[in-house]
Amino acid sequence: MPLTDAIAEAYAAVPAGEVCHETLELDHVTLAEPIRVLCNGQDDIDLPLVLGGTPVTFTALGVSVIPPGVDDDGPTPMRVRLDLAADLLMGPLLAATAATEPFAVTWRVYTSADLTQPGEVISGLQLRVATLTATAAEATVSLPQVETQAFTLRTYDRESYPALAND
């Protein structure tokens, strides 16, 4: 089942009167503090990042999130649109263009029945492509490209892998 279908099913299963709070955390080496956003909230909210953690403030913004999923062509990236986020993101996005590290993105979902910890967390995501206009910021977010990394990060030599020798 694609993740978007699973989330839709989970949201439909939420008991009446409960609200799901989706949050995004954007972090970069150029930032003193991560940017934390409450998706489509009315007011800013303080939530812990982990069970028993110190609450941090998430800024309420109009946000559209399409979580990562899978379709017939394989994995699909997460897509995010933040409305009226130019003031919040302009400086960090410009500073990030001078750095080689991508933005780290963490998506958390809390329910109003239990605000002591997130019910679902997707971490390890990276901001790939971002566009910023006066009215909105749009970005593609995906997992690191593991296909470009060396598998096991070890050197294959005769001592470590004797079966590779053609003796």
Side-chain angles (χ1 to χ4, degrees):
M1 174 183 331
L3 184 59
T4 53
D5 291 345
I7 293 298
E9 183 179 324
Y11 287 168
V14 173
E18 288 186 25
V19 176
C20 288
H21 299 285
E22 291 180 89
T23 66
L24 285 175
E25 180 179 85
L26 306 170
D27 198 8
H28 194 263
V29 294
T30 61
L31 296 175
E33 282 284 318
I35 298 168
R36 296 186 178 100
V37 176
L38 172 64
C39 304
N40 302 317
Q42 298 292 331
D43 299 309
D44 295 354
I45 190 170
D46 293 332
L47 297 168
L49 303 178
V50 295
L51 180 63
T54 303
V56 294
T57 301
F58 288 85
T59 304
L61 279 179
V63 179
S64 170
V65 176
I66 300 173
V70 177
D71 62 16
D72 293 339
D73 295 329
T76 59
M78 173 185 244
R79 289 186 299 282
V80 178
R81 178 184 168 93
L82 297 101
D83 294 326
L84 302 173
D87 291 343
L88 183 65
L89 296 176
M90 180 63 82
L93 285 176
L94 288 175
T97 59
T100 58
E101 292 293 316
F103 268 88
V105 178
T106 304
W107 181 63
R108 295 180 182 89
V109 180
Y110 299 80
T111 64
S112 58
D114 182 13
L115 295 176
T116 62
Q117 65 181 340
E120 182 172 3
V121 177
I122 299 176
S123 59
L125 299 166
Q126 295 178 346
L127 190 95
R128 292 287 174 202
V129 178
T131 57
L132 187 64
T133 66
T135 58
E138 293 186 19
T140 299
V141 179
S142 63
L143 291 168
Q145 297 177 350
V146 295
E147 66 271 8
T148 62
Q149 297 176 359
F151 180 67
T152 72
L153 302 176
R154 296 181 66 184
T155 301
Y156 293 94
D157 57 25
R158 285 180 181 234
E159 292 77 34
S160 301
Y161 299 93
L164 294 177
N166 201 11
D167 296 332

